[in-house]
Amino acid sequence: MNLDITLIWGGLLAFVVLAYIIFDGYDLGVGILIPLMRSDQERAQMLSSVRLWDANETWLVLGGGGLFAVFPLAYSIIFPALYLPLIGMLLSLVIRGVVSEFRWQNKQSAMIWDSLFFVGSFLAACFQGMILGALVQGIQVVDHAYAGGPLDWLTPFSVMTGIALALGYSLLGATWLVLKTDGELQNKAFSLIKVLGSLMVLMVGVVSLWTPFLKQDYLSRWFAWPQAIYVLPVPLLLAAAIFILFRAVNRRNTWVPFVATISIFLLSYIGLLISIFPYVVPDTITLWEAAAPLSSQKFLLPGTLILVPIILIYTTYAHWVFLKEEKA
Amino acid sequence: MMEFFDAVMLARMQFAFTVGFHIIFPAFSIGLASYLALLNGLHLYSQKNVYLDLFNYWIKIFAVAFVMGVVSGLVMSYEFGTNWSVFSFKAGPIIGPLMGYEVMTAFFLEAGFLGVMLFGRERVGPKIHFFATLMVAIGTFISAFWILSVNSWMQTPAGYSINAAGQFVPEDWIKIIFNPSFVYRLVHMVFAAYISTALVIASVGALHLLRLNKSAVGSAAGTFTQGSRQAVCLMFSMALWILAILVPMQMEAGDQHGLNTFKYQPKKIAAIEGHYEDAKPAGLMIFGIPDDKNRKMDYALEIPYLGSIILTHSLDGEILGMDTWPRDETPPMALPFFAFRIMVGLGVMMFILGMWSLWLRHKKTLYEKTWFLKYALVMGPAGFIAVLSGWVVTEVGRQPYTVYNLLHTTQSHSLLNAATVGTTLVAFITVYFVLFGIGVYYILRLMNQGPAGSELASTPVTQSKNAVYGSYLQNVGKGDSHES
């Protein structure tokens, strides 16, 4: 009992979801910003800055597949509960994926494909945010199965988290554009960061204040003494990251805004995990209750521990190849 | 009528629709990725431009097909949970890790190197570019390995025990992965992917040869350069070699797969063979119309003894009929029965194509015979139709179980209401038909253009309508005007 495999798996899956949020977040964000750019040239440049979107999206497949493999009970409760937003997200991603390819096939219709690319990116982001919100606010479970209705997920809270995530992604997208482009487009991206960053601060504030009041349990994590002292660094670091973001924009630094925004995401995510741990279906099913038999967990673990770093290496390589090109 | 469209039926339709759509694209990308790796390797080795011309031509088509495979595959990985949550809970401990390995060893490999393969040639140089192409090809192959392992396990489960919660618990991963039908299925599917792709390539080659031959005889306004004729002939010849060699091998593989199914899934064989009653000796049903209600085959056309010979390799071997088992434990007959005949019939037509090509090669008229070229042209989609038919045979033949003989389909689904599943089904059908319809249209348009010859790079047809993918993006990156 000195090595808790299930806990390691919880950590690994949390990492995979975070990797998805950051990787696909920047390219969904770029898609959301498309309508703000008027010229065809700028839009084409934006789209070619997210040409690795399918590698980024693979983290989502791994997240879903990992949950299926290691926490099948959670998978079989969460997925039917979030049926409509999940299918909505999938269809949005289907639309976004294919039209990103169609644009290069038929430039005459570029306007249509760009609009659909925006719609797909925006809806995918909103649905993901709503999925997150619905999970945090709780799912009705009876006898280890989802027992609610098809629209239970749709609440003011989940709509708000949907908008918050779409905003967050577009901020990440804007910082990515600063990193990947130059000239006029880069200038626009810099000014977008200021606007989106301010809105993001507002949303982080609203979500952070709303979440603890959803459930008594969340409240005590954050405000009960003495635990509060352990979680205090999270909001403090968050404030620091926001400060660094704005300062970097003023100094027109190209790398720091992207890294600072990733830190904002990371800290918000840690905050979320602090609220729900050790539950995987908040309040009802813990990691250990949801876990697959040990033989499943053991079979997949060594492969994951070896393969995920390798994947990160060649994914970084692919990003680097194109980073060099665009800066040359 | 209303109870026919209950949530389970709708969920099955949704799954069948999305998988059926999906399966075409991986079948094409497995074959095309290998072909691209081969062309890239041959160019690297021989430095002949014609290989690069073909590579540049097919990679545009690959890019569109691959993207549709990726996004429709993404849907599949989530539909297990949304529509089949009980199945997911029970079979997840076995299937989940296999799919997890698929994502990590195959999906990421393909997606990670795809960008370098599509856009990176100028930036990384020919050797790393070849490496990236090879990784994508290997990725598609590894993907097939895991997915067929999953599918085969659902057909012929092995290496498990069942715990108190009713979950399948993995006991022996070697037995799970290499379950009794896995190798047969993998070989059959990979051959099918190669053959389907070769048929498409041969068909596109035939189309352009027909045009080239016509323009050489008729008007002088041929739109193709010498270089592109060389490329067309080369791809046509390569594809027909693949067909001449692989189709006979596929027939043997299919026969072996059939024997394996006879051993492990006799109910499926009974449906395929069209036998309601036990037969000893058994004939081979050529045609008939199954009547599940009255348990008899109408308009049956049967060759005596042949069924026994094929399946038991003896004159009077026994083949069990559907009535051997209770009715609620057997699949419906009509779909597997007809789908199997379509698959085999198309297989015979592919065999004729391959053999005919060998004969014409011998006569040195492979690129001239108009009838042969027309035959090759119409056979273009045959591989995909055969793949879909084969998939119907194997999946409908598995019914009424999700895990063969162990987990009933009606006990595998999520507790959902019909309206929810129905709504999303309509959404899937709409989005898929519109978007993938456009995708297929773009693919056909690219195919219609034919490969450019590098000897005379200003080939009018290929350049004006469709600027080369990579160079377009480069122009964009450098801030040039992007209307060529």
Side-chain angles (χ1 to χ4, degrees):
Chain A
M1 215 30 250
N2 41 14
L3 198 69
D4 188 338
I5 289 186
T6 306
L7 192 62
I8 295 174
W9 266 116
L12 270 171
L13 264 189
F15 173 78
V16 168
V17 173
L18 179 70
Y20 172 75
I21 291 173
I22 289 165
F23 278 113
D24 211 26
Y26 82 71
D27 59 36
L28 284 168
V30 169
I32 296 171
L33 296 177
I34 284 261
L36 297 177
M37 302 301 165
R38 291 269 169 250
S39 84
D40 187 62
Q41 152 112 32
E42 284 171 335
R43 294 179 172 193
Q45 217 175 330
M46 285 167 83
L47 280 166
S48 57
S49 80
V50 294
R51 56 177 67 149
L52 295 172
W53 65 267
D54 59 340
N56 298 339
E57 214 160 82
T58 305
W59 293 98
L60 184 66
V61 183
L62 187 59
L67 194 67
F68 183 27
V70 186
F71 301 106
L73 180 60
Y75 183 80
S76 72
I77 292 171
I78 295 171
F79 278 44
L82 302 174
Y83 191 88
L84 288 172
L86 274 170
I87 302 242
M89 172 193 81
L90 292 173
L91 283 171
S92 309
L93 290 174
V94 167
I95 293 170
R96 183 187 71 126
V98 292
V99 300
S100 73
E101 182 58 42
F102 291 172
R103 188 190 214 276
W104 312 118
Q105 298 298 327
N106 188 346
K107 279 170 275 159
Q108 281 79 36
S109 317
M111 271 299 286
I112 301 171
W113 304 139
D114 289 350
S115 316
L116 281 173
F117 191 76
F118 161 73
V119 170
S121 305
F122 178 71
L123 288 180
C126 286
F127 279 124
Q128 284 172 9
M130 288 194 277
I131 286 164
L132 204 65
L135 198 62
V136 170
Q137 78 196 2
I139 288 171
Q140 198 186 335
V141 178
V142 175
D143 287 340
H144 287 183
Y146 177 59
L151 290 173
D152 284 11
W153 54 277
L154 190 61
T155 63
F157 180 75
S158 70
V159 170
M160 194 259 320
T161 51
I163 296 167
L165 194 64
L167 258 176
Y169 280 169
S170 42
L171 174 63
L172 194 56
T175 59
W176 174 254
L177 284 177
V178 159
L179 191 57
K180 291 282 284 187
T181 62
D182 42 26
E184 188 54 25
L185 186 55
Q186 195 186 36
N187 287 338
K188 285 186 186 170
F190 267 123
S191 31
L192 274 172
I193 295 176
K194 284 189 186 168
V195 182
L196 293 168
S198 313
L199 288 170
M200 173 81 171
V201 172
L202 187 73
M203 291 316 277
V204 167
V206 174
V207 178
S208 315
L209 291 178
W210 197 333
T211 311
F213 294 98
L214 283 174
K215 289 181 192 291
Q216 188 56 42
D217 201 30
Y218 296 164
L219 191 66
S220 58
R221 298 274 166 103
W222 289 97
F223 296 108
W225 198 258
Q227 291 104 296
I229 199 127
Y230 296 112
V231 297
L232 194 63
V234 177
L236 291 180
L237 285 170
L238 194 61
I242 291 166
F243 172 74
I244 290 170
L245 171 70
F246 282 101
R247 200 183 57 169
V249 173
N250 286 333
R251 294 182 178 181
R252 294 187 68 80
N253 189 306
T254 51
W255 266 98
V256 176
F258 186 60
V259 177
T261 307
I262 288 176
S263 311
I264 294 173
F265 268 91
L266 177 67
L267 290 160
S268 310
Y269 188 68
I270 291 172
L272 176 82
L273 294 182
I274 289 173
S275 290
I276 61 177
F277 184 83
Y279 292 98
V280 56
V281 181
D283 242 4
T284 12
I285 311 279
T286 65
L287 285 174
W288 293 273
E289 287 166 334
L294 215 54
S295 49
S296 303
Q297 298 184 49
K298 276 183 179 164
F299 174 65
L300 196 56
L301 189 64
T304 309
L305 290 175
I306 294 166
L307 289 165
V308 167
I310 295 175
I311 290 164
L312 284 169
I313 288 170
Y314 65 66
T315 310
T316 310
Y317 170 74
H319 275 86
W320 184 68
V321 164
F322 294 112
L323 187 73
K324 258 199 328 188
E325 169 246 335
E326 309 227 339
K327 283 284 152 188
Chain B
M1 197 61 192
M2 270 325 284
E3 63 260 35
F4 179 73
F5 287 112
D6 60 7
V8 185
M9 194 64 208
L10 287 166
R12 287 178 64 185
M13 286 164 70
Q14 191 176 100
F15 204 75
F17 177 77
T18 44
V19 188
F21 240 98
H22 172 65
I23 196 172
I24 297 297
F25 300 110
F28 194 34
S29 5
I30 291 170
L32 214 45
S34 294
Y35 186 55
L36 288 168
L38 177 69
L39 289 171
N40 207 348
L42 284 170
H43 176 253
L44 198 62
Y45 175 75
S46 74
Q47 294 297 321
K48 283 186 185 160
N49 280 335
V50 65
Y51 293 118
L52 194 58
D53 294 342
L54 282 177
F55 180 87
N56 287 335
Y57 176 61
W58 285 103
I59 199 166
K60 285 183 271 175
I61 293 162
F62 178 79
V64 184
F66 188 85
V67 115
M68 296 198 280
V70 168
V71 292
S72 57
L74 171 74
V75 171
M76 301 312 313
S77 69
Y78 277 67
E79 254 182 316
F80 281 110
T82 52
N83 287 358
W84 304 100
S85 64
V86 178
F87 168 82
S88 301
F89 170 67
K90 290 185 173 172
I94 298 219
I95 288 178
L98 299 181
M99 300 211 322
Y101 271 113
E102 190 228 354
V103 180
M104 291 187 293
T105 56
F107 222 112
F108 271 112
L109 198 64
E110 292 165 5
F113 284 100
L114 183 76
V116 179
M117 175 186 180
L118 289 179
F119 316 106
R121 190 177 180 87
E122 308 299 321
R123 274 134 244 161
V124 297
K127 279 186 185 150
I128 294 179
H129 186 243
F130 170 65
F131 178 77
T133 314
L134 200 61
M135 287 301 110
V136 173
I138 291 172
T140 62
F141 199 81
I142 299 174
S143 183
F145 176 93
W146 292 111
I147 281 301
L148 282 156
S149 177
V150 167
N151 183 265
S152 302
W153 187 84
M154 289 165 69
Q155 305 272 356
T156 53
Y160 63 90
S161 63
I162 294 177
N163 70 11
Q167 285 178 303
F168 294 95
V169 179
E171 295 293 339
D172 183 340
W173 284 103
I174 297 296
K175 281 187 183 158
I176 291 170
I177 296 169
F178 298 96
N179 60 76
S181 64
F182 168 65
V183 174
Y184 300 94
R185 244 174 258 283
L186 178 67
V187 171
H188 202 46
M189 183 67 207
V190 170
F191 279 5
Y194 279 2
I195 290 169
S196 301
T197 307
L199 283 164
V200 173
I201 296 170
S203 177
V204 174
L207 173 74
H208 294 296
L209 280 170
L210 281 164
R211 285 181 184 164
L212 284 167
N213 293 349
K214 203 175 167 189
S215 69
V217 179
S219 71
T223 46
F224 284 80
T225 64
Q226 201 51 43
S228 66
R229 181 177 167 99
Q230 191 195 357
V232 168
C233 287
L234 180 66
M235 75 184 186
F236 189 63
S237 171
M238 285 172 98
L240 284 164
W241 273 124
I242 297 288
L243 290 172
I245 296 164
L246 277 191
V247 174
M249 287 171 74
Q250 175 71 316
M251 288 176 147
E252 170 63 17
D255 185 49
Q256 293 295 324
H257 187 187
L259 294 178
N260 177 268
T261 308
F262 181 63
K263 189 172 171 191
Y264 291 97
Q265 297 181 300
K267 298 172 194 173
K268 188 186 280 181
I269 289 291
I272 291 171
E273 294 291 313
H275 292 300
Y276 283 104
E277 289 162 18
D278 292 2
K280 188 188 173 183
L284 182 74
M285 199 76 70
I286 300 292
F287 183 76
I289 298 187
D291 179 356
D292 267 357
K293 210 173 199 172
N294 298 311
R295 316 299 285 172
K296 66 183 179 55
M297 183 67 79
D298 297 332
Y299 311 104
L301 176 66
E302 202 173 355
I303 302 178
Y305 299 108
L306 198 55
S308 293
I309 294 172
I310 291 174
L311 282 169
T312 67
H313 292 200
S314 75
L315 265 180
D316 61 346
E318 184 178 30
I319 297 181
L320 297 175
M322 293 274 262
D323 291 341
T324 311
W325 303 276
R327 274 201 201 188
D328 59 357
E329 288 176 20
T330 55
M333 188 185 275
L335 272 175
F337 180 80
F338 286 120
F340 183 77
R341 272 143 196 79
I342 293 170
M343 176 180 76
V344 172
L346 288 170
V348 171
M349 288 170 73
M350 295 170 201
F351 182 74
I352 293 169
L353 183 66
M355 294 306 112
W356 195 355
S357 77
L358 289 181
W359 172 248
L360 292 182
R361 239 184 250 279
H362 173 68
K363 304 285 269 180
K364 301 201 187 311
T365 53
L366 187 66
Y367 310 115
E368 279 108 57
K369 289 286 177 202
T370 304
W371 275 108
F372 175 71
L373 293 175
K374 284 183 175 167
Y375 184 53
L377 177 65
V378 298
M379 285 296 282
F384 299 129
I385 302 170
V387 164
L388 270 177
S389 306
W391 170 71
V392 166
V393 172
T394 203
E395 299 307 304
V396 178
R398 191 193 61 216
Q399 295 302 325
Y401 299 99
T402 46
V403 181
Y404 199 63
N405 282 346
L406 295 167
L407 187 59
H408 214 273
T409 305
T410 54
Q411 290 161 356
S412 301
H413 65 98
S414 313
L415 289 170
L416 292 164
N417 65 14
T420 311
V421 190
T423 310
T424 52
L425 176 60
V426 172
F428 270 118
I429 291 173
T430 314
V431 170
Y432 275 35
F433 269 109
V434 172
L435 287 180
F436 293 163
I438 296 169
V440 171
Y441 165 75
Y442 284 147
I443 287 179
L444 291 176
R445 205 177 63 165
L446 287 167
M447 287 174 171
N448 191 36
Q449 284 163 8
S454 54
E455 277 81 5
L456 286 165
S458 59
T459 320
V461 173
T462 43
Q463 287 293 317
S464 66
K465 282 191 187 163
N466 200 299
V468 176
Y469 202 81
S471 70
Y472 171 65
L473 286 167
Q474 265 172 271
N475 290 340
V476 169
K478 294 194 173 71
D480 292 347
S481 158
H482 29 276
E483 281 301 329
S484 54

